[in-house]
């Protein structure tokens, strides 16, 4: 019996002893983050599945993991021996739907309310009897400690607003919504408002905390010792009082006869249950989410500078890779991940990677979120395709880029697939669209070249990106699979990824990703129809000419590609002028098609 099967067995004993009929384990922390501190990786502890998302549901007879298409192949492999069955999540198959169809109001469903979004509580409470239970604390005997990293200030010269100005911006939105108080538990919002950064969550420069804002006061709830006395004094001088993390519930319990603004998908049930009945809750998206999503011109300038730093690192990396392959060196996927980080770390602005690099050679590249491990990885061998999805956290911006390069010579089918994905990338990158359009509506434009050949990919086309914050950061999402239409309207200044792909099981994967800034159309042909935007690429790295079939490209697609490569060369050739080998690599990839 595997260790995971044993843990499931232990869980079922606890459920039976406590009279719990079913139990949910969410991928969550008290801040409902996407990336979690090790302390909160309960789903991986119980199941062995290490993807970034997924929901476990247990009864005495069943054990299921719901996960979306990015992770189906990975989950099938990692769940073996656990006794947990994979549920392939899509719009018709969700854990919530299964609960509604298979459980009843008499069913006692256990879940840790400290990790349960208020929004999900409202949905579940209509069909089952919810019980607040944390069984993980009893099962996980050698649990990692909570992170203790110190919090630090994001230097003022890199920020568009000081803390007082950001508090004023949020308070203005609160007043418009009729809110006297505002509870914020989402870490990216708190880091943005306070101009602080941390190291509590891998790859995201955030810190575990809550924030309570009223018209007169601002309180940051954070663990003892994470803010030094100098920074604490600085915060207090700007109107932010520091309190212990665990005092949040007590402070919320003191609120009386007021209106409290919160985002139900980003605040937990346990926090809200501590409120007095006289508190009127206003459920809206956090105002800071929309404010920080639209980057200022100052931030865009720094982001463009970060892209130069990133592009230089990638040119040096790919030149090294080409030389190493030609010299017959044995290189693994794990070597690739290490080396690309080392080249990024040469930048004076670099802090760390923005996520764990996805390095997939041939068949491994067909797994959209594959990660090489000590136990399982591949060596690069001719001939094949290498997919590299990586990014960096710089003090001046966050990067995320995917490129595919051949190891040896690509074959005709690989060239076809690469060119088809490139056509999809160019299709959406060339699009002009109305400001405020719900971004999921634009996704079909990307997929048209693939749909024409009855092909598709099982993930979204794009996500929002923070400014030296989370690499996945809304509210925008470019995916027809998303239902977040109202909150994901396109705004000028947003930073979004574009990353179509083709994945062929057992063969290879192709994904091509740039970050783009939503930019106002200059000199519009018409003005009476409102404002129009386009996606301006800011990522700087050439596409692979040896994988492109120019006969498959239209003249307009060639023009787009040549213009992009011209800009890449112009911006990267100067900082690379002392590195002749990297410059040579850049020149060879940026020639006109």
């Amino acid at each position: 019996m595997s260790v995971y099967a044993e843990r499931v067995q232990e869980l079922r004993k606890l459920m039976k002893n406590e009279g719990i009929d079913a139990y949910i384990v969410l991928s969550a922390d008290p801040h409902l983050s996407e990336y979690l501190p090790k302390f909160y990786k309960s789903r991986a502890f119980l199941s062995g599945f290490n993807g970034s998302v997924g929901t476990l549901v247990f009864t005495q007879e069943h054990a299921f993991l719901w996960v979306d298409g990015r992770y189906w192949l990975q989950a099938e492999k990692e769940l073996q021996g656990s006794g947990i069955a994979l549920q392939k999540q899509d719009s018709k198959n969700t854990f919530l739907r299964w609960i509604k169809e298979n459980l009843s109001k008499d069913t006692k469903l256990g879940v840790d309310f400290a990790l349960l979004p208020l929004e999900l509580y409202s949905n579940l409470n209509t069909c089952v009897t919810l019980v607040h239970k944390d069984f993980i604390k009893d099962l996980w005997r050698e649990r990692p400690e909570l992170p203790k990293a110190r919090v630090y200030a994001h230097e003022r010269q890199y920020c568009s607003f000081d803390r007082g100005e950001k508090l004023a911006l949020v308070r203005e939105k609160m007043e418009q919504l009729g809110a006297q108080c505002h509870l914020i538990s989402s870490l990216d919002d708190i880091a943005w408002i306070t101009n602080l950064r941390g190291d509590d969550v891998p790859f995201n420069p955030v810190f575990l905390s809550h924030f309570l804002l009223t018209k007169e006061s601002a309180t940051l709830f954070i663990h003892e010792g994470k803010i030094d006395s100098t920074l604490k004094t600085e915060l207090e001088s700007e109107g932010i009082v520091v309190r212990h993390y665990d005092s949040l519930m007590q402070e919320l319990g003191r609120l009386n006869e007021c209106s409290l603004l919160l985002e139900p998908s980003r605040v937990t049930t346990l926090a809200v249950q501590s409120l007095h009945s006289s508190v009127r809750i206003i459920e809206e998206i956090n105002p800071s989410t929309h404010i920080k999503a639209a980057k200022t011109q100052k931030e865009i300038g720094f982001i463009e500078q970060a892209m130069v730093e990133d592009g230089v690192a990638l040119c040096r990396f790919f030149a090294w890779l080409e030389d190493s392959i030609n010299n017959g060196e044995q290189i693994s996927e794990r070597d690739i991940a290490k080396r690309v980080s080392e080249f990024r770390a040469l930048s004076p602005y670099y802090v760390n990677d923005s996520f764990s690099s996805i390095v997939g050679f041939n068949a491994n590249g067909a797994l959209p979120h594959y990660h090489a491990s000590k136990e399982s990885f591949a060596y690069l061998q001719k001939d094949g395709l290498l997919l590299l999805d990586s990014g960096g956290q710089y003090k001046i911006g966050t990067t995320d880029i995917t490129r595919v390069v051949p190891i040896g010579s690509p074959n005709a089918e690989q060239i076809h697939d690469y060119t088809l994905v490139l056509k999809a990338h160019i299709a959406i990158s060339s699009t002009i669209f109305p400001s405020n359009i719900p971004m999921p509506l634009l996704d079909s434009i990307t997929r048209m070249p693939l749909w024409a050949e009855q092909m598709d990919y099982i993930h979204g086309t794009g996500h929002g990106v923070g400014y030296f914050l989370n690499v996945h950061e809304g509210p925008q999402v470019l995916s027809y699979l998303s239902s977040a239409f109202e909150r994901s309207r396109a705004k000028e200044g947003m930073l979004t990824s574009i990353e179509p792909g083709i994945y062929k099981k057992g063969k290879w994967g192709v994904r091509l990703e740039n970050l783009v800034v939503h930019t106002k159309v200059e000199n519009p042909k018409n003005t009476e129809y409102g404002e129009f935007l386009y996606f301006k690429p800011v990522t700087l790295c050439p596409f692979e000419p040896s994988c492109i079939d120019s006969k498959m490209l239209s003249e307009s697609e060639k023009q787009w590609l040549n213009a992009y490569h011209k800009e890449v060369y112009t911006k990267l050739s100067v900082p690379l002028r002392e590195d002749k080998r990297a410059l040579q690599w850049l020149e060879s990839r940026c020639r006109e098609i």
Side-chain angles (χ1 to χ4, degrees), residues 361-377:
F361 181 65
N362 276 353
N364 290 338
L367 307 173
H369 278 231
Y370 166 79
H371 286 288
S373 65
K374 291 180 182 178
E375 298 76 28
S376 178
F377 63 88

Side-chain angles (χ1 to χ4, degrees), residues 300-316 343-344 346-350 392 394 396-401 515 537-542 564 567-577 586:
I300 291 171
F302 278 125
I303 289 167
E304 290 176 339
Q305 189 177 342
M307 297 299 171
V308 172
E309 299 287 322
D310 211 56
V312 165
L314 288 165
C315 288
R316 289 172 172 162
F343 279 107
R344 281 194 169 99
L346 296 175
S347 167
Y349 298 104
Y350 174 86
Y394 301 87
I396 52 175
T398 300
T399 69
D400 182 2
I401 174 175
L515 298 190
V538 288
T539 297
L540 299 172
C541 186
Y564 175 71
E567 182 177 9
V568 169
Y569 182 78
T570 299
K571 291 187 174 180
L572 297 185
S573 57
V574 174
L576 282 172
R577 62 183 176 270
L586 177 67

Side-chain angles (χ1 to χ4, degrees), residues 77-138:
K77 183 178 180 180
E78 293 181 345
L79 290 177
Q80 289 180 8
S82 68
I84 300 170
L86 170 64
Q87 288 283 346
K88 294 184 176 181
Q89 179 179 305
D90 57 27
S91 59
K92 296 179 181 178
N93 181 24
T94 66
F95 77 93
L96 185 58
R97 183 167 184 169
W98 186 89
I99 286 171
K100 289 181 177 179
E101 291 177 353
N102 292 275
L103 305 182
S104 68
K105 190 61 180 174
D106 294 330
T107 303
K108 289 186 177 181
L109 178 66
V111 60
D112 186 353
F113 283 11
L115 312 177
L116 178 65
L118 181 62
E119 183 177 63
L120 181 55
Y121 172 88
S122 300
N123 282 322
L124 287 170
N125 199 42
T126 61
C127 53
V128 293
T129 300
L130 286 171
V131 181
H132 172 38
K133 286 290 178 184
D134 176 11
F135 287 135
I136 302 300
K137 69 180 188 312
D138 299 317

Side-chain angles (χ1 to χ4, degrees), residues 13-261:
K13 288 179 182 177
L14 291 174
M15 290 167 58
K16 190 172 184 179
N17 291 339
E18 295 283 340
I20 299 297
D21 303 306
Y23 192 69
I24 296 179
V25 177
L26 302 166
S27 298
D29 63 10
H31 310 279
L32 306 175
S33 309
E34 176 185 7
Y35 295 100
L36 307 176
K38 291 180 181 179
F39 180 89
Y40 289 108
K41 291 187 175 182
S42 306
R43 186 249 306 139
F45 166 79
L46 266 179
S47 69
F49 170 65
N50 286 292
S52 63
V53 294
T55 302
L56 292 167
V57 177
F58 298 95
T59 67
Q60 291 298 333
E61 298 80 28
H62 302 290
F64 297 123
L65 169 73
W66 271 266
V67 68
D68 65 48
R70 294 173 295 169
Y71 295 110
W72 290 346
L73 295 177
Q74 178 183 342
E76 283 177 357
K77 183 178 180 180
E78 293 181 345
L79 290 177
Q80 289 180 8
S82 68
I84 300 170
L86 170 64
Q87 288 283 346
K88 294 184 176 181
Q89 179 179 305
D90 57 27
S91 59
K92 296 179 181 178
N93 181 24
T94 66
F95 77 93
L96 185 58
R97 183 167 184 169
W98 186 89
I99 286 171
K100 289 181 177 179
E101 291 177 353
N102 292 275
L103 305 182
S104 68
K105 190 61 180 174
D106 294 330
T107 303
K108 289 186 177 181
L109 178 66
V111 60
D112 186 353
F113 283 11
L115 312 177
L116 178 65
L118 181 62
E119 183 177 63
L120 181 55
Y121 172 88
S122 300
N123 282 322
L124 287 170
N125 199 42
T126 61
C127 53
V128 293
T129 300
L130 286 171
V131 181
H132 172 38
K133 286 290 178 184
D134 176 11
F135 287 135
I136 302 300
K137 69 180 188 312
D138 299 317
L139 293 171
W140 202 346
R141 297 174 188 90
E142 297 181 9
R143 194 170 188 173
E145 292 185 348
L146 283 168
K148 297 178 179 179
R150 284 289 185 98
V151 172
Y152 58 94
H154 188 200
E155 290 92 326
R156 180 64 182 89
Q157 67 263 34
Y158 305 135
C159 304
S160 292
F161 307 101
D162 62 30
R163 298 180 184 107
E165 291 169 326
K166 289 182 174 180
L167 292 174
L169 287 170
V170 177
R171 282 176 171 137
E172 181 182 351
K173 296 294 183 182
M174 288 169 56
E175 188 172 353
Q176 292 171 5
L177 293 168
Q180 297 164 303
C181 308
H182 181 24
L183 172 62
I184 307 170
S185 291
S186 45
L187 304 184
D188 52 321
D189 288 290
I190 296 170
W192 180 83
I193 290 171
T194 60
N195 284 345
L196 298 175
R197 297 296 187 267
D199 193 26
D200 285 354
V201 179
F203 310 113
N204 296 325
V206 295
F207 49 95
L208 300 185
S209 58
H210 299 278
F211 199 76
L212 184 61
L213 185 62
T214 72
K215 292 180 179 180
E216 300 82 22
S217 65
T219 308
L220 177 65
F221 299 87
I222 189 166
H223 287 290
E224 197 79 35
K226 294 182 70 66
I227 293 183
D228 64 33
S229 58
T230 303
L231 184 54
K232 184 176 180 181
T233 300
E234 181 183 316
L235 289 169
E236 290 177 347
S237 71
E238 297 184 65
I240 299 174
V241 175
V242 177
R243 296 278 303 277
H244 194 279
Y245 183 90
D246 293 332
S247 65
L248 172 69
M249 302 303 177
Q250 183 181 8
E251 195 66 27
L252 290 175
R254 291 190 179 125
L255 297 179
N256 197 14
E257 295 185 356
C258 66
S259 53
L260 175 67
L261 170 65

Side-chain angles (χ1 to χ4, degrees), residues 243-355:
R243 296 278 303 277
H244 194 279
Y245 183 90
D246 293 332
S247 65
L248 172 69
M249 302 303 177
Q250 183 181 8
E251 195 66 27
L252 290 175
R254 291 190 179 125
L255 297 179
N256 197 14
E257 295 185 356
C258 66
S259 53
L260 175 67
L261 170 65
L262 55 82
E263 184 173 351
S265 64
R266 307 196 77 183
V267 169
T268 67
T269 302
L270 192 64
V272 173
Q273 287 192 340
S274 62
L275 294 170
H276 191 273
S277 59
S278 65
V279 174
R280 181 173 67 89
I281 294 176
I282 300 173
E283 296 186 355
E284 291 285 351
I285 188 172
N286 291 334
S288 49
T289 298
H290 279 306
I291 299 169
K292 68 181 171 61
K295 282 28 175 201
T296 65
Q297 285 303 309
K298 180 178 179 179
E299 289 169 339
I300 291 171
F302 278 125
I303 289 167
E304 290 176 339
Q305 189 177 342
M307 297 299 171
V308 172
E309 299 287 322
D310 211 56
V312 165
L314 288 165
C315 288
R316 289 172 172 162
F317 163 78
F318 282 121
W320 164 84
L321 176 63
E322 187 172 80
D323 289 345
S324 300
I325 295 296
N326 290 338
N327 291 334
E329 295 180 30
Q330 189 178 51
I331 300 172
S332 73
E333 294 166 334
R334 287 168 58 79
D335 296 328
I336 296 294
K338 180 182 178 183
R339 288 295 284 162
V340 73
S341 297
E342 289 173 350
F343 279 107
R344 281 194 169 99
L346 296 175
S347 167
Y349 298 104
Y350 174 86
V351 177
N352 52 35
D353 288 352
S354 56
F355 56 97

Side-chain angles (χ1 to χ4, degrees), residues 422-433 445 498 533-537 556-557 559-561:
L422 179 60
K423 286 172 70 69
H425 186 100
I426 294 173
I428 188 63
S429 299
S430 306
T431 297
I432 294 174
F433 51 93
I445 297 171
I498 290 176
L533 306 173
Y534 70 97
F535 292 126
K536 178 185 176 183
S556 62
E557 289 169 335
Q559 289 172 11
W560 185 94
L561 184 60

Side-chain angles (χ1 to χ4, degrees), residues 446-489:
T446 320
R447 298 175 191 259
M448 282 177 63
L450 277 69
W451 287 349
E453 298 199 22
Q454 294 81 61
M455 302 173 77
D456 204 355
Y457 48 96
I458 51 176
H459 57 73
T461 293
H463 56 81
V465 178
Y467 175 65
F468 184 33
L469 274 172
N470 296 354
V471 72
H472 293 160
E473 191 170 296
Q476 74 269 35
V477 57
L478 186 56
S479 172
Y480 75 91
L481 304 169
S482 173
S483 59
F485 276 60
E486 186 58 39
R487 63 183 290 159
S488 65
R489 292 184 177 275

